[in-house]
Amino acid sequence: MSHPDYRLTLRPLETPRGVSSLVGPHGVGASPGDKKSKNKSLRGKKKSIFETYMSKEDVSEGLKRGTLIQGILRINPKKFHEAFIPSPDGDRDIFIDGVVARNRALNGDLVVVKLFPEEQWKVIKPDSNDKETEGAYESYLPEELCGSLLPQQSLKGYNDSPDVIIEAQFDDSDSEDGHGNTQNILVDGVKKLSVCLHEKDEETEAQRSYLACPVSHRKLEKRMLVHQLQKMRTPPWHRIQELYQRSHCKDQQRQLAKSLGQAGEIEPETEGILTEYGVDFSDFSSEVLECLPQGLPWTIPPEEFNKRRDLRKDCIFTIDPSTARDLDDALSCKPLTDGNFEVGVHIADVSYFVPEGSDLDKVAAERATSVYLVQKVIPMLPRLLCEELCSLNPMTDKLTFSVIWTLTPKGKILDEWFGRTIIRSCTKLSYEHAQSMIESPTKKIPEKELPPISPEHTSEEVHRAVLNLHGIAKELRKQRFVDGALRLDQLKLAFTLDHETGLPQGCHIYEYRDSNKLVEEFMLLANMAVAHKIHRAFPERALLRRHPPPQTKMLNDLVEFCDQMGLSMDFSSAGALNKSLTETFGDDKYSLARKEVLTNMCSRPMQMALYFCSGMLQDQAQFRHYALNVPLYTHFTSPIRRFADVLVHRLLAATLGYREVPNVEPDALQKQADHCNDRRMASKRVQELSTSLFFSVLVKESGPLESEAMVLGVLNQAFDVLVLRYGVQKRVYCNALPLRSHHFQRVGKKPELTLLWEPEAMEQEPVRQVITIFSLVEVVLQAEDAALKYSAILKRPGTEGLLGLQDEEECDHDQQED
């Protein structure tokens, strides 16, 4: 029986909070499940608390032998001694108990575990309080599945607590050396356990003795402790424990490096977020800047015109957000005499300006991605490159890498060409400009409503090109979904900022329109084309991007939930799920709200899309991209902001004979891919926290804010809602409301929470309100005290007034969300 290679599939749902270079313990320590042992470990001397580490070589060998499992640690914020990583089969979690057992591993750290012998495995039933944990486990959608124009809100775990836990001891490795197999030994055992659990539903108390430690390799000084000292009546104990644990990481030398400023202010809070997640926002060094062209203004060397296809006379233009300054991509669409079209995607040739092995290359590789905050961008490359030399600014000659097709009006590819080019964009369109052209196909757009257009081209020519691209994009998109693609559109917040203070003045849900879809379709087409091109040329050394199928356990839970709710949903494939979401709901307000909630739920089992080296996976079925439902995919279209795209450009250049084949072995390329994955996850989390920060400021400055909300989860003392006006999720606690009583029950298998409101006047009767999933309620978002946090409270049925604030002791439970 063959087993899949799990070296790359072991990705958790939680975003890493940076990583360290610690390499794990060698043996099993004291049982942290024992209270005395646990308390003693917290009071003991530093030297005796944690185990010493294995060598990187031993850990790497363990991964290769398949005796270790790799995953990212998730710590229960309500029960700090409990932690988990996902098992290889995605059907359950592996449980690690205790601070000592984790051996300095923190939430989000990449770790490896070693399972106990099978005869010691036990099934642990979580207690009901675990289901009260909010935001313990999070999921992130790949941008191909939900779009990437704006940071998305946090996606909360559908089932906060695993119902099957496999005991493990924690060993450790370095991820740069540890691309090992978790096949045969461990996978066989996990699958056997799965079979046994279906045969008998046995629940026993487990003996708990585990060890843990982070495994990814990074310079330690980059991972700084960020801690806010705030006045609070009841300190968050799990965070104090984490702070205590961090203070004992003697060999990590974690300390407060500088004062970031006043807590509660946007810039200090932003610096704290960046620092905590290891984002390098320092100025580029003089050594790096010396790698840039020194003689400015820079012009294209004459020899480049002999090496490239000259497209400067073509009608080529960019379509981007109105505020964008790093313009990666441009489009062209030339009608042919036979009724077909020559369509081009033209991407900034960043690799020309980033010599391999240079200081500039090294810092770009380390940063790996630009980080987009609400108020600014932390660039991967110096701004001279991002905003000037590489950016495809209008009416300027630019070096590009192009994919050009001959397409029928239906989007069928008749011919395909790849090559280095020189373009001269005739105009910089915003999405709004392109949208107005799409919505006015026969009307001339007034010149004053458009950006400047080069004199060689007319606004009518650009308008026709946009309309032709739109027509082809609609056909491409329709065919993609016929072929089984999935898209989970989720609500995204956009802010308007005060130009002087930088504070948010308002916010709105970003509307994803036809102009966005137009650009998306051709970027997807280019990425897929390049993926096939480089994989054909370098089957062992292609940098590709795969999207694993959903987590089995969470998907099964969702299937059961939909059955209980009477929803006819087909989860058998990405395309079937997309069809169900498209066809199940009507277009009235209540149906659209239910669709938003269910889309949110469907996002939770989804795994992260991952960069990988094709030579490191033996089973090509694992190359597939689940959401796009295609066999091969990569990232080629955004080299200004993603280093993975720079690597792909180099591979494509070698494929076309522009340069020698990159001298990189598959395992070294995989290390680069792993680092890009790590930085990408950290970047997504930072973007989310930036959005949450600005929304918290908006609530504080402009709140309280009222909105309709739909219930998406019911617990025994609280319920979760999706706030429809703002697209945020919050938990509403019963003890925050003026209730006479509340009662939780299951009607069949459906959870139901009955609230009995205290009457507002003595002569009135208590008001009874039943909360179930898909209930439509009114909520108020209210700022908390000093911290930039906000809570959600329920409005009394049939009233317009505000209710009391959430109890301060309970506020801590939803801080993971904010």
Side-chain angles (χ1 to χ4, degrees), residues 258-294:
K258 65 174 182 176
S259 171
L260 298 178
Q262 182 65 41
E265 296 177 358
I266 286 179
E267 286 308 315
E269 293 278 354
T270 297
E271 283 201 25
I273 292 168
L274 294 170
T275 303
E276 182 177 5
Y277 284 86
V279 175
D280 183 359
F281 58 96
S282 62
D283 293 336
F284 289 95
S285 68
S286 57
E287 291 80 8
V288 169
L289 297 178
E290 285 172 3
C291 298
L292 304 177
Q294 299 300 306

mmCIF file of all heavy atoms in Angstrom, residues 258-294:
data_model
loop_
_atom_site.group_PDB
_atom_site.id
_atom_site.type_symbol
_atom_site.label_atom_id
_atom_site.label_comp_id
_atom_site.label_asym_id
_atom_site.label_seq_id
_atom_site.Cartn_x
_atom_site.Cartn_y
_atom_site.Cartn_z
ATOM 1 N N LYS A 258 12.801 47.901 22.493
ATOM 2 C CA LYS A 258 12.576 49.338 22.477
ATOM 3 C C LYS A 258 11.131 49.604 22.835
ATOM 4 O O LYS A 258 10.283 48.729 22.779
ATOM 5 C CB LYS A 258 12.879 49.913 21.090
ATOM 6 C CG LYS A 258 11.938 49.407 20.004
ATOM 7 C CD LYS A 258 12.199 50.125 18.698
ATOM 8 C CE LYS A 258 11.242 49.662 17.625
ATOM 9 N NZ LYS A 258 11.414 50.401 16.363
ATOM 10 N N SER A 259 10.857 50.839 23.183
ATOM 11 C CA SER A 259 9.484 51.248 23.419
ATOM 12 C C SER A 259 8.872 51.622 22.084
ATOM 13 O O SER A 259 9.424 52.407 21.323
ATOM 14 C CB SER A 259 9.454 52.456 24.360
ATOM 15 O OG SER A 259 8.153 52.983 24.429
ATOM 16 N N LEU A 260 7.731 51.014 21.778
ATOM 17 C CA LEU A 260 7.090 51.262 20.499
ATOM 18 C C LEU A 260 6.170 52.469 20.532
ATOM 19 O O LEU A 260 5.734 52.941 19.500
ATOM 20 C CB LEU A 260 6.292 50.025 20.069
ATOM 21 C CG LEU A 260 7.114 48.762 19.839
ATOM 22 C CD1 LEU A 260 6.189 47.607 19.468
ATOM 23 C CD2 LEU A 260 8.164 48.965 18.775
ATOM 24 N N GLY A 261 5.846 52.948 21.716
ATOM 25 C CA GLY A 261 4.954 54.087 21.822
ATOM 26 C C GLY A 261 3.754 53.772 22.683
ATOM 27 O O GLY A 261 3.680 52.742 23.342
ATOM 28 N N GLN A 262 2.791 54.663 22.659
ATOM 29 C CA GLN A 262 1.617 54.545 23.499
ATOM 30 C C GLN A 262 0.651 53.504 22.965
ATOM 31 O O GLN A 262 0.249 53.559 21.806
ATOM 32 C CB GLN A 262 0.901 55.907 23.585
ATOM 33 C CG GLN A 262 -0.325 55.909 24.475
ATOM 34 C CD GLN A 262 0.029 55.655 25.932
ATOM 35 O OE1 GLN A 262 1.018 56.162 26.442
ATOM 36 N NE2 GLN A 262 -0.775 54.855 26.613
ATOM 37 N N ALA A 263 0.285 52.531 23.808
ATOM 38 C CA ALA A 263 -0.709 51.542 23.402
ATOM 39 C C ALA A 263 -2.022 52.247 23.077
ATOM 40 O O ALA A 263 -2.415 53.177 23.769
ATOM 41 C CB ALA A 263 -0.915 50.517 24.507
ATOM 42 N N GLY A 264 -2.665 51.796 22.043
ATOM 43 C CA GLY A 264 -3.932 52.399 21.646
ATOM 44 C C GLY A 264 -3.801 53.380 20.509
ATOM 45 O O GLY A 264 -4.805 53.817 19.951
ATOM 46 N N GLU A 265 -2.573 53.743 20.127
ATOM 47 C CA GLU A 265 -2.356 54.610 18.978
ATOM 48 C C GLU A 265 -2.017 53.750 17.765
ATOM 49 O O GLU A 265 -1.368 52.705 17.883
ATOM 50 C CB GLU A 265 -1.230 55.605 19.260
ATOM 51 C CG GLU A 265 -1.562 56.573 20.385
ATOM 52 C CD GLU A 265 -0.406 57.509 20.700
ATOM 53 O OE1 GLU A 265 0.655 57.364 20.050
ATOM 54 O OE2 GLU A 265 -0.559 58.364 21.583
ATOM 55 N N ILE A 266 -2.418 54.199 16.588
ATOM 56 C CA ILE A 266 -2.321 53.352 15.405
ATOM 57 C C ILE A 266 -0.897 52.964 15.067
ATOM 58 O O ILE A 266 -0.597 51.777 14.851
ATOM 59 C CB ILE A 266 -3.006 54.040 14.203
ATOM 60 C CG1 ILE A 266 -4.525 53.974 14.369
ATOM 61 C CG2 ILE A 266 -2.589 53.384 12.887
ATOM 62 C CD1 ILE A 266 -5.302 54.646 13.261
ATOM 63 N N GLU A 267 0.025 53.917 15.003
ATOM 64 C CA GLU A 267 1.385 53.576 14.564
ATOM 65 C C GLU A 267 2.121 52.672 15.548
ATOM 66 O O GLU A 267 2.739 51.692 15.128
ATOM 67 C CB GLU A 267 2.177 54.848 14.268
ATOM 68 C CG GLU A 267 1.761 55.538 12.974
ATOM 69 C CD GLU A 267 1.743 54.586 11.769
ATOM 70 O OE1 GLU A 267 2.707 53.810 11.605
ATOM 71 O OE2 GLU A 267 0.765 54.610 11.007
ATOM 72 N N PRO A 268 2.102 52.976 16.865
ATOM 73 C CA PRO A 268 2.731 52.023 17.789
ATOM 74 C C PRO A 268 2.084 50.635 17.745
ATOM 75 O O PRO A 268 2.781 49.623 17.797
ATOM 76 C CB PRO A 268 2.538 52.681 19.164
ATOM 77 C CG PRO A 268 2.402 54.128 18.872
ATOM 78 C CD PRO A 268 1.692 54.203 17.558
ATOM 79 N N GLU A 269 0.760 50.594 17.638
ATOM 80 C CA GLU A 269 0.081 49.302 17.545
ATOM 81 C C GLU A 269 0.513 48.568 16.276
ATOM 82 O O GLU A 269 0.742 47.355 16.278
ATOM 83 C CB GLU A 269 -1.444 49.503 17.535
ATOM 84 C CG GLU A 269 -2.028 50.038 18.821
ATOM 85 C CD GLU A 269 -2.250 48.941 19.858
ATOM 86 O OE1 GLU A 269 -2.053 47.759 19.526
ATOM 87 O OE2 GLU A 269 -2.609 49.282 20.999
ATOM 88 N N THR A 270 0.631 49.323 15.171
ATOM 89 C CA THR A 270 1.048 48.705 13.907
ATOM 90 C C THR A 270 2.466 48.172 14.007
ATOM 91 O O THR A 270 2.758 47.054 13.560
ATOM 92 C CB THR A 270 0.946 49.733 12.766
ATOM 93 O OG1 THR A 270 -0.420 50.132 12.608
ATOM 94 C CG2 THR A 270 1.443 49.145 11.457
ATOM 95 N N GLU A 271 3.367 48.952 14.609
ATOM 96 C CA GLU A 271 4.741 48.480 14.787
ATOM 97 C C GLU A 271 4.778 47.237 15.656
ATOM 98 O O GLU A 271 5.575 46.327 15.429
ATOM 99 C CB GLU A 271 5.624 49.581 15.385
ATOM 100 C CG GLU A 271 6.041 50.637 14.396
ATOM 101 C CD GLU A 271 7.275 51.399 14.865
ATOM 102 O OE1 GLU A 271 8.056 50.844 15.654
ATOM 103 O OE2 GLU A 271 7.448 52.555 14.436
ATOM 104 N N GLY A 272 3.916 47.205 16.664
ATOM 105 C CA GLY A 272 3.854 46.032 17.522
ATOM 106 C C GLY A 272 3.438 44.790 16.749
ATOM 107 O O GLY A 272 4.012 43.713 16.915
ATOM 108 N N ILE A 273 2.435 44.941 15.868
ATOM 109 C CA ILE A 273 1.972 43.817 15.057
ATOM 110 C C ILE A 273 3.088 43.344 14.131
ATOM 111 O O ILE A 273 3.369 42.143 14.012
ATOM 112 C CB ILE A 273 0.732 44.235 14.240
ATOM 113 C CG1 ILE A 273 -0.465 44.491 15.157
ATOM 114 C CG2 ILE A 273 0.376 43.160 13.202
ATOM 115 C CD1 ILE A 273 -1.636 45.176 14.458
ATOM 116 N N LEU A 274 3.748 44.293 13.454
ATOM 117 C CA LEU A 274 4.820 43.933 12.526
ATOM 118 C C LEU A 274 5.962 43.233 13.240
ATOM 119 O O LEU A 274 6.513 42.239 12.746
ATOM 120 C CB LEU A 274 5.336 45.197 11.821
ATOM 121 C CG LEU A 274 4.358 45.898 10.881
ATOM 122 C CD1 LEU A 274 4.906 47.248 10.452
ATOM 123 C CD2 LEU A 274 4.058 45.037 9.659
ATOM 124 N N THR A 275 6.298 43.746 14.407
ATOM 125 C CA THR A 275 7.402 43.162 15.159
ATOM 126 C C THR A 275 7.062 41.767 15.642
ATOM 127 O O THR A 275 7.872 40.838 15.550
ATOM 128 C CB THR A 275 7.746 44.060 16.368
ATOM 129 O OG1 THR A 275 8.064 45.368 15.901
ATOM 130 C CG2 THR A 275 8.933 43.505 17.142
ATOM 131 N N GLU A 276 5.846 41.606 16.150
ATOM 132 C CA GLU A 276 5.445 40.310 16.679
ATOM 133 C C GLU A 276 5.481 39.222 15.613
ATOM 134 O O GLU A 276 5.833 38.073 15.888
ATOM 135 C CB GLU A 276 4.044 40.396 17.279
ATOM 136 C CG GLU A 276 3.573 39.094 17.905
ATOM 137 C CD GLU A 276 2.215 39.216 18.568
ATOM 138 O OE1 GLU A 276 1.587 40.290 18.470
ATOM 139 O OE2 GLU A 276 1.794 38.229 19.179
ATOM 140 N N TYR A 277 5.146 39.582 14.377
ATOM 141 C CA TYR A 277 5.101 38.588 13.310
ATOM 142 C C TYR A 277 6.368 38.566 12.458
ATOM 143 O O TYR A 277 6.388 37.970 11.381
ATOM 144 C CB TYR A 277 3.859 38.807 12.445
ATOM 145 C CG TYR A 277 2.629 38.306 13.143
ATOM 146 C CD1 TYR A 277 1.939 39.125 14.029
ATOM 147 C CD2 TYR A 277 2.186 37.002 12.977
ATOM 148 C CE1 TYR A 277 0.828 38.661 14.712
ATOM 149 C CE2 TYR A 277 1.074 36.528 13.643
ATOM 150 C CZ TYR A 277 0.399 37.362 14.515
ATOM 151 O OH TYR A 277 -0.702 36.889 15.200
ATOM 152 N N GLY A 278 7.405 39.204 12.935
ATOM 153 C CA GLY A 278 8.695 39.104 12.272
ATOM 154 C C GLY A 278 8.781 39.796 10.935
ATOM 155 O O GLY A 278 9.579 39.405 10.078
ATOM 156 N N VAL A 279 7.961 40.828 10.713
ATOM 157 C CA VAL A 279 8.004 41.566 9.450
ATOM 158 C C VAL A 279 9.100 42.623 9.535
ATOM 159 O O VAL A 279 9.091 43.467 10.431
ATOM 160 C CB VAL A 279 6.647 42.233 9.143
ATOM 161 C CG1 VAL A 279 6.740 43.092 7.888
ATOM 162 C CG2 VAL A 279 5.570 41.170 8.981
ATOM 163 N N ASP A 280 10.032 42.570 8.614
ATOM 164 C CA ASP A 280 11.139 43.527 8.575
ATOM 165 C C ASP A 280 10.651 44.826 7.943
ATOM 166 O O ASP A 280 10.406 44.883 6.741
ATOM 167 C CB ASP A 280 12.294 42.931 7.767
ATOM 168 C CG ASP A 280 13.520 43.838 7.740
ATOM 169 O OD1 ASP A 280 13.464 44.938 8.332
ATOM 170 O OD2 ASP A 280 14.528 43.448 7.118
ATOM 171 N N PHE A 281 10.488 45.854 8.760
ATOM 172 C CA PHE A 281 10.044 47.145 8.237
ATOM 173 C C PHE A 281 11.137 48.197 8.363
ATOM 174 O O PHE A 281 10.891 49.393 8.288
ATOM 175 C CB PHE A 281 8.752 47.610 8.919
ATOM 176 C CG PHE A 281 8.839 47.736 10.425
ATOM 177 C CD1 PHE A 281 9.100 48.955 11.022
ATOM 178 C CD2 PHE A 281 8.656 46.632 11.242
ATOM 179 C CE1 PHE A 281 9.160 49.091 12.394
ATOM 180 C CE2 PHE A 281 8.715 46.739 12.609
ATOM 181 C CZ PHE A 281 8.973 47.975 13.199
ATOM 182 N N SER A 282 12.373 47.741 8.534
ATOM 183 C CA SER A 282 13.500 48.666 8.625
ATOM 184 C C SER A 282 13.840 49.216 7.249
ATOM 185 O O SER A 282 13.410 48.682 6.211
ATOM 186 C CB SER A 282 14.719 47.950 9.204
ATOM 187 O OG SER A 282 15.130 46.888 8.357
ATOM 188 N N ASP A 283 14.635 50.295 7.232
ATOM 189 C CA ASP A 283 15.092 50.846 5.967
ATOM 190 C C ASP A 283 16.064 49.872 5.311
ATOM 191 O O ASP A 283 16.764 49.107 5.987
ATOM 192 C CB ASP A 283 15.805 52.183 6.199
ATOM 193 C CG ASP A 283 14.855 53.267 6.690
ATOM 194 O OD1 ASP A 283 13.638 53.149 6.413
ATOM 195 O OD2 ASP A 283 15.317 54.201 7.360
ATOM 196 N N PHE A 284 16.099 49.887 3.989
ATOM 197 C CA PHE A 284 17.037 49.027 3.289
ATOM 198 C C PHE A 284 18.462 49.538 3.520
ATOM 199 O O PHE A 284 18.716 50.748 3.539
ATOM 200 C CB PHE A 284 16.717 49.003 1.797
ATOM 201 C CG PHE A 284 15.454 48.251 1.479
ATOM 202 C CD1 PHE A 284 14.241 48.927 1.353
ATOM 203 C CD2 PHE A 284 15.466 46.876 1.318
ATOM 204 C CE1 PHE A 284 13.067 48.243 1.067
ATOM 205 C CE2 PHE A 284 14.299 46.180 1.030
ATOM 206 C CZ PHE A 284 13.095 46.857 0.910
ATOM 207 N N SER A 285 19.387 48.613 3.688
ATOM 208 C CA SER A 285 20.767 48.970 4.004
ATOM 209 C C SER A 285 21.454 49.614 2.805
ATOM 210 O O SER A 285 20.999 49.493 1.657
ATOM 211 C CB SER A 285 21.551 47.728 4.423
ATOM 212 O OG SER A 285 21.719 46.855 3.320
ATOM 213 N N SER A 286 22.587 50.273 3.059
ATOM 214 C CA SER A 286 23.354 50.898 1.978
ATOM 215 C C SER A 286 23.864 49.845 1.000
ATOM 216 O O SER A 286 23.950 50.087 -0.209
ATOM 217 C CB SER A 286 24.518 51.696 2.558
ATOM 218 O OG SER A 286 25.351 50.861 3.359
ATOM 219 N N GLU A 287 24.199 48.640 1.532
ATOM 220 C CA GLU A 287 24.670 47.561 0.655
ATOM 221 C C GLU A 287 23.584 47.145 -0.330
ATOM 222 O O GLU A 287 23.851 46.857 -1.503
ATOM 223 C CB GLU A 287 25.103 46.351 1.482
ATOM 224 C CG GLU A 287 26.359 46.554 2.312
ATOM 225 C CD GLU A 287 26.093 47.305 3.614
ATOM 226 O OE1 GLU A 287 24.912 47.532 3.942
ATOM 227 O OE2 GLU A 287 27.074 47.656 4.300
ATOM 228 N N VAL A 288 22.346 47.109 0.158
ATOM 229 C CA VAL A 288 21.228 46.762 -0.720
ATOM 230 C C VAL A 288 20.984 47.862 -1.744
ATOM 231 O O VAL A 288 20.804 47.604 -2.938
ATOM 232 C CB VAL A 288 19.952 46.509 0.101
ATOM 233 C CG1 VAL A 288 18.725 46.409 -0.796
ATOM 234 C CG2 VAL A 288 20.100 45.237 0.927
ATOM 235 N N LEU A 289 20.999 49.096 -1.301
ATOM 236 C CA LEU A 289 20.727 50.216 -2.205
ATOM 237 C C LEU A 289 21.805 50.369 -3.265
ATOM 238 O O LEU A 289 21.546 50.869 -4.375
ATOM 239 C CB LEU A 289 20.571 51.506 -1.397
ATOM 240 C CG LEU A 289 19.397 51.534 -0.412
ATOM 241 C CD1 LEU A 289 19.375 52.839 0.358
ATOM 242 C CD2 LEU A 289 18.062 51.321 -1.139
ATOM 243 N N GLU A 290 23.012 49.931 -2.948
ATOM 244 C CA GLU A 290 24.096 49.991 -3.933
ATOM 245 C C GLU A 290 23.870 49.030 -5.095
ATOM 246 O O GLU A 290 24.496 49.169 -6.154
ATOM 247 C CB GLU A 290 25.440 49.683 -3.261
ATOM 248 C CG GLU A 290 25.951 50.839 -2.407
ATOM 249 C CD GLU A 290 27.175 50.448 -1.590
ATOM 250 O OE1 GLU A 290 27.648 49.289 -1.735
ATOM 251 O OE2 GLU A 290 27.652 51.284 -0.803
ATOM 252 N N CYS A 291 22.991 48.050 -4.907
ATOM 253 C CA CYS A 291 22.666 47.113 -5.995
ATOM 254 C C CYS A 291 21.750 47.735 -7.034
ATOM 255 O O CYS A 291 21.568 47.168 -8.121
ATOM 256 C CB CYS A 291 22.002 45.856 -5.431
ATOM 257 S SG CYS A 291 23.016 44.898 -4.293
ATOM 258 N N LEU A 292 21.145 48.876 -6.720
ATOM 259 C CA LEU A 292 20.216 49.525 -7.640
ATOM 260 C C LEU A 292 20.986 50.339 -8.670
ATOM 261 O O LEU A 292 22.130 50.741 -8.448
ATOM 262 C CB LEU A 292 19.272 50.441 -6.857
ATOM 263 C CG LEU A 292 18.463 49.793 -5.735
ATOM 264 C CD1 LEU A 292 17.637 50.843 -5.011
ATOM 265 C CD2 LEU A 292 17.564 48.701 -6.285
ATOM 266 N N PRO A 293 20.381 50.610 -9.830
ATOM 267 C CA PRO A 293 21.023 51.483 -10.811
ATOM 268 C C PRO A 293 21.356 52.834 -10.186
ATOM 269 O O PRO A 293 20.512 53.443 -9.527
ATOM 270 C CB PRO A 293 19.960 51.615 -11.906
ATOM 271 C CG PRO A 293 19.134 50.381 -11.782
ATOM 272 C CD PRO A 293 19.098 50.066 -10.324
ATOM 273 N N GLN A 294 22.592 53.285 -10.395
ATOM 274 C CA GLN A 294 23.050 54.505 -9.729
ATOM 275 C C GLN A 294 22.856 55.755 -10.578
ATOM 276 O O GLN A 294 22.670 56.843 -10.067
ATOM 277 C CB GLN A 294 24.534 54.345 -9.344
ATOM 278 C CG GLN A 294 24.785 53.185 -8.378
ATOM 279 C CD GLN A 294 24.036 53.332 -7.066
ATOM 280 O OE1 GLN A 294 24.143 54.346 -6.382
ATOM 281 N NE2 GLN A 294 23.255 52.312 -6.709
#
